Every structure is written in C-alpha cells, then in structure tokens.
C-alpha cells in the first residue's frame, strides 16, 4: 500500500504541511495526484476550479461552513470536514470575556471619561443559557464552572450536555430566554437558525439580560436587536459576529451604549494555524487508520 | 452566662442585624452596653467618638483598612477584624473581567467606531503573576484554572499557594514581572507596598504584558504607569482602583487607549451587604464559641 498523498493549499503553510507529514501522509503539490485535500487560504469558488476527481476527503479551515453550502461545492461522494471544535477553547474565551464585560459594565466604563458609580452584576450563581451547545458552547461550560453558574443548554437532540443543569431541545428556546441572565448564541448558521433571535425572542428576555453572539451574525435579527437595546428591553449585547459583517461605519450598534462589538476576533491570529494544524494532524491519522474523522459536515443538516 | 450584646451601626442594616441574631447574639442600640461592634456605614473618625470602653471586638466592613490605620483608632486591647476575604469571589471576578478585557483588546474595541482587525491574546496556557496572593489573589486562581494558566504567586511568607505553579517571596517580584504575560496586583496597601509597581518594575515587564489592579491604587506609581503606557513599555492596564481616587476628570488615564478604568466597582452593590452579612454571621458564631475570628487585623503588619 502506498502512502496517501494529500494536497495542502492553495496557500502554503509549513505548519499544516508538517501536520500532514508527521501524521504519516505524503504532501503533494498537485491536487490531481491526491486522495485528500487540506484546503487552506482559498475560497469555495477557488475550490470549484480544482481537479478533485480522485479526492475522497476535504478538510476545510473554518468552523462555520455556511459559505461553502451557499457556493454549492459541497456535494455527495466526498467527505468534507470543517474545523468545528478546533477553535472552541479560544472562542469560548471570547464568550467569557464578553459575558464578564456585560456583567461588569465594561462597554460603558471603557467609554467613560469621568469617575461614576456603576451597578455591576455577576456571573456567580447566575443562570446562563447556551443556545447551541456544540463545540464552542460546550467549551464555555468549564470556564463558567468556577462561577457556579446554572447552565441551560439547547441542543438539537436534547441529549444531556455534561455540566449543564438542563439540556433542552430548540422548541424550549422561549423558556431558556425567559430564565437566563446571560444568553450565549453558539448555534451554527443554517437556513433554520436565521434570525433565531428576533423581536419575539428579545421581548422574552430579562430586562437585565446580556446577549452574547460568538457564532454567526445571521442568528440575530440585527434591526430587532438595535430596537431592543434602544428601548432597554435587554441589558445589552456583546457581539463577536454581526449581520452584516463587517458592520458598516455609522451603524447604530457602534454607538449603542450597551453594545460591545468585537470584530470577529474570537480566535487570535497567532493561534489559528496551530489549532488548525492539530485538527489536521488528528484527522490525517484518522484518515490513514480508516477511523471516523472529526468535524464531518452533514450535507442534510447543513453544518 | 448572658448572651453577648453587639452594636450594629451607625447605619441601620436589617441584614446585618439578622446575621448577628441568627448567630446567637443579641443586638443593642447602645455601644456602651455592648461587648462587640459591627461597624457599618461610619468612618474611622465617627468610630473614635463612640463609647467603646467595654468593647472586646470590632468588625469592620471593608477588606482594605489602610484608612483605619491612618486615623489611629486601631489600638491594642481590642480585636479588630476586617472583611478581608468576604468579597474575594466577586473582586476576583472583576480581576478576570479585566484580564480578559486586556487579552481580547476590549478597551480599544469598546471605543472603536469601525470594523478593524485586532490581534487578540489569550489566557490559555499563559503565565499570570499574582502579586499578593491573599484572599482575593487566591480567589482568582480557580477562575484561571480552566485556562491552564501558570500561576506565579507572591506572598509575604512564600508558603506555597494551592494552585500556583510557584510561590515566591516579595524579593522575587522582578522575576515574576519579567515572566508574566498578565500581572494582577492583590497586595494590601501598607507603607511598605506603596508604589510597589514603579518605573523600575514597569520597565521589567513584557511589552505585551497586561497589568490589573484590584487592590489599592497606591500600590502603583500612577505617573510611572502613564509614562509606561504612552511609551508602549507594557501592553496595557485594567484598574479597578487608582491613585488618586476618584481619578480626576482630565487625567491622562481616561484617554489612554490601552487603559481601562472601572470605578472601584469590583464588588457589586447588591452583593456587598449579603457578603458582609455572611462574614458577620460566621464571626459572631466564632466570637460566641471563643474560636479564632476571621480577618483579624495585625496591628504590626498593617492589614
């Protein structure tokens, strides 16, 4: 049996090449010569132009793959894997940073130019709703454990999430929103989850509730959120992702006192390639051993 | 034996009164009639005017008691206890909020009005120096544990702090500052710790290091800090306490891009009395049982 050949590109990456070779496969410059592709630094459109006749498996570099679905290149007959879960820790860290920023009123305080009295909240003994407890949502739980937070998790299946006080299915979203002092959006972007948080949902939230989105901007109806923030219907929002993205200059969220925008910066640049390399290494080993791959994209489910 | 009588005041507090009575003591309106005082809502100067001839024990409401030392009312012959440790959890939460704000560049981002690229850091696998690992400093450690942070603790005694990779004595401060990506100041304010972090110490810190002060403003030389921030000698600073305090309008720290000021708001108002009440309850029980009290102030040590 010959060593499987894997194409890494179109952008060169010594770290990813090393991840492939140390896992036991050979790297080739020619996709036509490969049985697998680690697609790095290229768009779905670029991918469509690649010769992938002999390709059995394609590793993508992002955790969210809605752009790949939209481009129509994800088709039956090959296994596509996303990086879902690879960046979970550092994205969970951003979620905690945004949760604490909300609890401790950091958006207002960072903009203040005078000593004020401020009424802080706390994550200690609080109720935190995690809407979409997948890789990232689950990675938040250990960060909240020291705060004795009561976690209400929502997953598609409702199968109990370790560390959650309750795990429920998406039809119970309203209940979770009513109860939670903090709400973290971690669900994937699919046609089903578009505007998952809209006017109805925002109206159910506690007036002091703080909403964090580290998933995809499309999960929140931005106009409804702007109105809810202006009206004081919720306590505030920390958004690492927005819709549209980038958020245009002059958008009302930029000047909303109770909003904090971080520009899709949850995953530090310097950690992106090392984290992806770890996933590539693991998946190449699985591939060679004919074991199940991590992050397999379900073409029906849409993520 | 008669039930000991305890004066609670000068400000009335039903929660503190309840904490005393449920612990088994009797509350009296007259300090002259009491053997112990829970001093709430009054200054050291007010205290000096109280009849405390028969008083054996005084519980103060704050964790830091440098103002009590300065006023000269802490004298031999009575036991004084501070609230040190009572607020540790929520102050540690503020420290974590400020650490994450620094790692994730929230000060700059909160003030931004346009989508930018930002280079985030991470607490994961980082080195965190805790300068003064007392009640608050120790309470930060469990919050950092999920990040696999390497904790370098400084204590007066050097006795190993649980959860710290290393515990050293204050003469090793320079080493801790050189190594740490994040530095948290948690030491008490005494004449010895004034300007513990000055020009020399700031110059030793890593250029990307983030400095957090949740102890007392006097521990940092503010002018030296302003210069270090302007020069880019350190990555930035998150300050819940300042010197002077309140920080006056127009002070350069208000507009320093890499500084974040929270106005001594580490302990949420709504938790202050409940947390103090727990300490009062515990200490009244100890007092009645003739057990050692928590938070005893050492008149020689100065805290």
């Amino acid at each position: 049996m010959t060593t499987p050949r894997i194409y890494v590109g179109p952008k060169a990456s010594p770290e990813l090449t090393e991840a492939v070779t140390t896992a036991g496969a050979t790297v080739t410059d020619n996709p036509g010569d490969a049985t697998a592709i680690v697609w790095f630094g290229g768009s779905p459109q670029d991918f469509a132009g690649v010769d992938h006749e002999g390709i059995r498996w394609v590793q993508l570099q992002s955790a969210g793959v809605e752009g790949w679905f939209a481009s129509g290149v994800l088709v039956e007959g090959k296994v596509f894997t996303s990086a879902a879960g690879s960046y979970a820790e550092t994205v969970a860290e951003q979620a905690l940073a945004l949760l604490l920023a909300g609890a401790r009123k950091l958006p207002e305080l960072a903009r203040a130019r005078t000593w004020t009295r401020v009424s802080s909240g706390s994550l200690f003994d609080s109720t935190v709703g995690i809407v979409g407890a997948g890789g990232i949502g689950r990675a938040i739980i250990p960060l909240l454990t020291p705060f004795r937070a009561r976690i209400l998790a929502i997953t598609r299946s409702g199968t109990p999430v370790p560390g959650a006080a309750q795990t429920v299915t998406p039809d119970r979203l309203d209940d979770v929103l009513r109860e939670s002092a903090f709400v973290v959006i971690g669900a994937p972007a699919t046609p089903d989850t578009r505007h998952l948080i809209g006017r109805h949902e925002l109206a159910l939230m506690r007036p002091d509730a703080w909403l964090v989105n580290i998933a995809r901007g499309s999960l929140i109806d931005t106009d409804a959120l702007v109105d809810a923030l202006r009206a004081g219907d919720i306590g505030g929002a920390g958004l690492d992702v927005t819709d549209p993205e980038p958020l245009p200059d002059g958008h009302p969220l930029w000047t909303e006192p109770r909003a904090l925008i971080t520009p899709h910066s949850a995953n530090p640049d310097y950690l992106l390639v090392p984290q992806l390399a770890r996933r590539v290494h693991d998946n190449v080993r699985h591939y060679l051993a004919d074991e199940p791959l991590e992050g397999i994209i379900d073409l029906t489910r849409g993520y």
Side-chain angles (χ1 to χ4, degrees), chain A:
Chain A
M1 187 193 132
T2 57
T3 314
R5 276 191 278 266
I6 298 182
Y7 170 78
V8 178
K11 193 176 166 195
S13 165
E15 294 95 328
L16 296 181
T17 298
E18 194 193 338
V20 170
T21 55
T22 59
T26 302
V27 169
T28 171
D29 287 343
N30 177 10
D33 203 28
T35 66
I37 289 178
V38 174
W39 190 250
F40 181 69
S43 68
Q45 291 70 32
D46 298 336
F47 181 81
V50 167
D51 172 9
H52 39 69
E53 183 129 4
I55 301 300
R56 292 173 48 210
W57 164 47
V58 182
Q59 171 72 52
L60 305 179
Q61 79 182 78
S62 62
V65 291
E66 67 280 12
W68 285 83
F69 275 99
S71 70
V73 295
L74 301 186
V75 290
E76 303 288 347
K78 290 186 220 318
V79 173
F80 289 89
T81 52
S82 76
S86 316
Y87 312 124
E89 278 191 345
T90 43
V91 178
E93 181 177 14
Q94 187 82 4
L96 187 67
L98 291 172
L99 287 169
L100 286 169
R104 296 314 175 108
K105 304 281 193 285
L106 300 190
E108 295 95 314
L109 293 175
R111 295 160 187 154
R113 295 287 172 267
T114 192
W115 195 266
T116 45
R117 271 194 76 74
V118 63
S119 163
S120 290
S122 176
L123 284 177
F124 272 101
D125 306 305
S126 67
T127 298
V128 181
I130 300 182
V131 181
I136 295 166
R138 284 162 193 254
I140 296 167
I141 295 175
L143 306 184
L144 291 173
T145 304
F147 294 100
R148 303 181 298 265
R150 180 169 161 260
I151 308 286
L152 307 180
I154 300 182
T155 64
R156 179 185 274 248
S157 67
T159 309
V161 169
Q166 282 181 45
T167 307
V168 298
T169 44
D171 57 298
R172 298 279 308 281
L173 174 62
D174 287 5
D175 297 332
V176 169
L177 294 176
R178 275 191 202 95
E179 274 195 68
S180 300
F182 300 91
V183 175
V184 181
I185 307 299
T190 68
D192 282 352
T193 60
R194 184 177 154 75
H195 291 192
L196 186 68
I197 305 296
R199 285 179 202 283
H200 168 78
E201 290 74 21
L202 290 161
L204 294 175
M205 288 174 67
R206 292 165 44 159
D208 64 342
W210 179 259
L211 177 65
V212 167
N213 191 358
I214 39 74
R216 283 292 188 258
S218 65
L219 278 88
I220 298 180
D221 176 344
T222 303
D223 292 343
L225 176 61
V226 168
D227 291 345
L229 289 168
R230 279 187 180 151
D233 293 340
I234 67 169
L239 308 172
D240 191 58
V241 289
T242 59
D243 180 23
E245 190 171 309
L247 194 69
D249 289 0
H251 193 282
L253 282 177
W254 286 121
T255 46
E256 166 55 47
R258 288 174 300 175
L260 175 57
I261 312 295
T262 62
H264 210 131
S265 58
N267 197 34
D269 289 343
Y270 75 100
L271 289 174
L272 193 142
V273 171
Q275 290 176 323
L276 179 60
R278 213 174 316 163
R279 167 61 60 90
V280 165
H281 182 87
D282 292 348
N283 262 353
V284 169
R285 287 172 63 106
H286 294 317
Y287 179 67
L288 298 183
D290 221 7
E291 292 165 358
L293 301 174
E294 293 176 50
I296 290 180
I297 297 170
D298 182 325
L299 297 186
T300 312
R301 205 172 55 170
Y303 61 91

